[in-house]
Amino acid sequence: MRTLNERADVIPLIAEVFREFGFEGTSLSRITEKTRLGKGSLYHFFPGGKEEMARAVLAHVDGWFEREIFTPLRHDPPEQSIARMWHGVDDYFRSGRRICLVGAFALDETRDRFAAAIASYFTRWIEGLRDALVRGGWPMAEAADSAEEVVLGIQGALVLARATNDEAVFGRALARFQRRLQQPSAV
């Protein structure tokens, strides 16, 4: 068994189990098997069990996106923050080899249990990108449509890359969206 002293060290390990099996398909035995953590350690860090683990994982993912993507989109210069978004998204999703855990939770029976966290994640992403585009000179309606299309497209590209076992799909999609966001008239 593995020994970890911090709850924060455990969360990324559990996240990968949820990515592989989904919320419903993840059992405590699978978590202990995949993370090599004992049940006692897991309950020490997460006395609320699997649901508390899932909430912690979603909060961890959300925290990363808030820090690395959403806040820069809201506050940094538009060109810089959008470039950071492309780089961050490509890194985070490992160029299409890693599914979006929030998106996966949105698609199964788990959605209702974590609806507020899921909706907030996608809404803040779309609004942050929209705001960056508006600061960059885009008309509000066009910026809103494009931001929604990009977030939708990123999620779709992740699904398609996984479904076809071709992560290059994700890279091509990001490149297309980058070109579309070069200027308002490019949409």
Side-chain angles (χ1 to χ4, degrees):
M1 289 290 154
R2 181 185 287 184
T3 304
L4 295 171
N5 296 324
E6 299 290 328
R7 176 180 159 125
D9 297 331
V10 175
I11 293 171
L13 302 173
I14 294 170
E16 295 309 314
V17 181
F18 281 123
R19 275 191 180 85
E20 185 175 350
F21 298 105
F23 181 80
E24 296 301 329
T26 296
S27 64
L28 194 55
S29 342
R30 278 198 167 141
I31 294 171
T32 58
E33 174 192 338
K34 294 288 187 175
T35 63
R36 296 183 297 135
L37 295 167
K39 287 182 182 181
S41 295
L42 289 171
Y43 277 113
H44 169 74
F45 291 125
F46 306 99
K50 184 171 90 167
E51 185 153 336
E52 184 179 348
M53 290 177 206
R55 289 191 187 289
V57 164
L58 286 172
H60 177 76
V61 170
D62 188 80
W64 186 92
F65 271 85
E66 182 61 43
R67 197 174 46 257
E68 301 298 324
I69 307 294
F70 307 157
T71 297
L73 284 171
R74 286 192 304 266
H75 301 293
D76 292 352
E79 189 174 300
Q80 175 188 339
S81 66
I82 293 170
R84 180 176 177 163
M85 180 189 76
W86 298 128
H87 180 72
V89 164
D90 191 49
D91 281 353
Y92 186 83
F93 294 118
R94 298 183 183 151
S95 302
R97 291 183 309 277
R98 182 188 219 192
I99 68 164
C100 176
L101 186 56
V102 179
F105 275 24
L107 296 176
D108 66 16
E109 307 300 318
T110 310
R111 189 195 72 77
D112 292 339
R113 180 175 282 144
F114 304 108
I118 292 166
S120 174
Y121 168 86
F122 287 113
T123 301
R124 284 180 293 134
W125 192 351
I126 292 166
E127 289 173 351
L129 181 54
R130 177 204 64 205
D131 293 350
L133 292 170
V134 168
R135 286 194 324 277
W138 288 54
M140 176 61 89
E142 198 172 330
D145 286 347
S146 293
E148 185 177 77
E149 179 185 0
V150 165
V151 173
L152 172 67
I154 289 169
Q155 293 300 311
L158 288 168
V159 171
L160 188 58
R162 186 165 175 93
T164 61
N165 199 28
D166 179 8
E167 66 252 11
V169 166
F170 187 70
R172 289 192 305 270
L174 287 184
R176 274 193 303 277
F177 290 126
Q178 284 177 323
R179 287 191 303 272
R180 287 183 191 160
L181 294 189
Q182 293 295 316
Q183 54 185 318
S185 61
V187 178

